[in-house]
Amino acid sequence: MSNLRVLIVVWLAVLAGCSTSDRTSGRPPVIPESTWWQVDSDIVAASQDATRQTSNYAQELMAEWMDLVYRRTDAEFIPWFSSYWTRQSLSMRVTWYRLNAEGKEEVVDRLALYLQERYQDRVLKPVAKEIDPDRVMEKATKFYIWLLGELLRKIPGRYGVPQDQFDRRLKDIPAVALAPPGSHSASLHQLLHAEPIDRLPAYAALITRIHQASADTAARARTADAGISSVARRTSERLTAELATSGVASALSAAVGRAAGMAISLGAAGFNSITHESERPKMEAQLRKSLNEAFDEEWLELMRNPDTGVLAGVHHLAGRIEGSLAHTATAPHEVSLPGGQSLGHGHAGGAVAYPPW
């Protein structure tokens, strides 16, 4: 029994000596592959959580943007558009376009462009001084990066992984992957430790690319021209058709450049304005309905488009990060119209306070 006790004491002393030797030698602990699998899984879950919360953040900002657009459209554009004198001005403009155009389509296009420009001046530019979808995209991208960093900060301690080994893991995960040069690519570690983030070449290149893609996508018109373009074109076509069958067009064409033409036009204004005012409420209601429907679609486009929408930067970063960790799939994300239920899937996490960007 005495010998057994001696052997136990010697064995414990040997183990303690080996442990002390490992510590003093500075050799890092070996992290099992199963632990790294859990770490990677948590990184993916953190990215999905950050994406979900960033989507909520962007939806809040864009709901405010669209509310401003609606209110300014009601206050500044619809009364201008439906007024009798605007109608007369547009009629004169169509007549002038017809004198210098080769066909009906050119007239329609020119008037539609003019209406879009007026909508920009009266609604979209003033609203952009308060909330701009391009700035929302940049804010959302920065919010995702900040929140992801906060979530990843908790992972090493959860599994007993030394910080230097965790940092090396992050350096192996791509976050920005654009075409050459190499400075247009960055790891997750670089993304999280760049101060300020705007000075990281890869981040700046990503934001520039999204802005360029937005500007080049004429069909969608990222600055929200799409919300007015369909209405402008329908109005242009209707005015062009009306003038083509009215005596006003021929009378003005014959008198263009003469004072008589203006006198005839002003002489008829009294009677025509009374008729116009009686039809104005119906005209405004139809215009409001058309614009609201168009902007509902535009809002969804700005939220959903992975290349030019307000979450385009987030989609790029999350896609590269989660895609590089092949054992975990990225869950889809959905959005709803402002005022509806916010939808999103991914790792559940508590809500956080939004940074004041």
Side-chain angles (χ1 to χ4, degrees):
M1 189 69 178
S2 171
N3 290 337
L4 178 60
R5 290 175 179 171
V6 171
L7 287 173
I8 291 174
V9 170
V10 172
W11 180 66
L12 291 173
V14 170
L15 288 178
C18 292
S19 175
T20 302
S21 175
D22 284 344
R23 288 197 300 269
T24 56
S25 66
R27 285 184 294 180
V30 177
I31 306 300
E33 190 61 31
S34 59
T35 299
W36 284 121
W37 189 91
Q38 289 291 338
V39 168
D40 288 350
S41 181
D42 279 15
I43 291 173
V44 170
S47 176
Q48 292 175 340
D49 192 6
T51 300
R52 177 183 61 81
Q53 295 198 51
T54 302
S55 177
N56 293 338
Y57 171 59
Q59 286 187 61
E60 288 180 14
L61 291 177
M62 290 303 294
E64 292 179 27
W65 172 79
M66 197 157 75
D67 183 59
L68 289 173
V69 169
Y70 284 157
R71 284 195 277 131
R72 193 163 185 91
T73 297
D74 265 353
E76 300 295 334
F77 185 76
I78 290 179
W80 170 83
F81 183 86
S82 63
S83 72
Y84 171 77
W85 292 110
T86 297
R87 174 78 171 203
Q88 293 296 99
S89 173
L90 292 178
S91 298
M92 292 285 290
R93 188 172 291 273
V94 167
T95 301
W96 177 255
Y97 290 160
R98 290 179 63 192
L99 294 175
N100 297 276
E102 295 181 358
K104 176 185 174 182
E105 283 303 307
E106 184 179 342
V107 175
V108 170
D109 290 343
R110 289 181 66 181
L111 184 59
L113 178 60
Y114 171 77
L115 291 173
Q116 290 180 64
E117 290 172 348
R118 298 292 72 74
Y119 193 77
Q120 278 275 354
D121 293 340
R122 290 178 171 270
V123 178
L124 297 179
K125 288 180 180 178
V127 168
K129 293 179 180 179
E130 299 184 51
I131 300 178
D132 181 8
D134 285 331
R135 287 285 297 134
V136 171
M137 183 274 291
E138 295 181 26
K139 287 183 177 182
T141 306
K142 289 180 178 178
F143 179 72
Y144 167 84
I145 295 169
W146 172 81
L147 180 55
L148 181 60
E150 293 297 305
L151 296 173
L152 295 185
R153 214 182 302 276
K154 305 172 185 177
I155 294 178
R158 191 179 300 155
Y159 299 103
V161 175
Q163 186 63 47
D164 61 334
Q165 292 194 43
F166 184 69
D167 287 343
R168 282 198 294 273
R169 196 72 165 188
L170 297 184
K171 291 177 182 178
D172 292 334
I173 300 175
V176 182
L178 303 177
S183 61
H184 287 181
S185 295
S187 69
L188 178 54
H189 185 271
Q190 287 175 295
L191 191 73
L192 296 178
H193 290 82
E195 289 291 344
I197 187 64
D198 302 89
R199 292 187 180 179
L200 182 66
Y203 174 84
L206 174 62
I207 297 302
T208 298
R209 192 188 75 164
I210 295 172
H211 284 320
Q212 289 176 342
S214 301
D216 293 342
T217 310
R220 286 186 289 271
R222 264 283 272 110
T223 53
D225 282 349
I228 183 62
S229 62
S230 59
V231 175
R233 185 165 186 83
R234 287 198 300 271
T235 301
S236 179
E237 290 173 343
R238 187 173 64 251
L239 283 173
T240 302
E242 288 177 2
L243 286 172
T245 58
S246 70
V248 176
S250 58
L252 291 177
S253 297
V256 66
R258 300 180 185 176
M262 184 61 69
I264 293 172
S265 178
L266 292 175
F271 176 80
N272 291 339
S273 63
I274 295 173
T275 304
H276 177 84
E277 286 303 315
S278 67
E279 299 174 351
R280 187 170 180 174
K282 181 179 179 180
M283 181 192 307
E284 290 186 347
Q286 291 175 340
L287 178 59
R288 186 175 294 106
K289 182 176 182 294
S290 296
L291 285 171
N292 288 351
E293 290 175 351
F295 268 99
D296 283 349
E297 294 179 6
E298 180 66 13
W299 190 91
L300 288 174
E301 176 71 10
L302 288 167
M303 288 301 305
R304 287 174 172 172
N305 193 300
D307 299 316
T308 61
V310 295
L311 293 172
V314 175
H315 283 302
H316 180 95
L317 299 176
R320 300 309 180 275
I321 293 167
E322 296 168 28
S324 69
L325 304 173
H327 61 276
T328 305
T330 304
H333 296 269
E334 299 178 359
V335 296
S336 61
L337 285 170
Q341 182 180 3
S342 298
L343 303 177
H345 306 281
H347 176 69
V352 297
Y354 298 148
W357 292 320

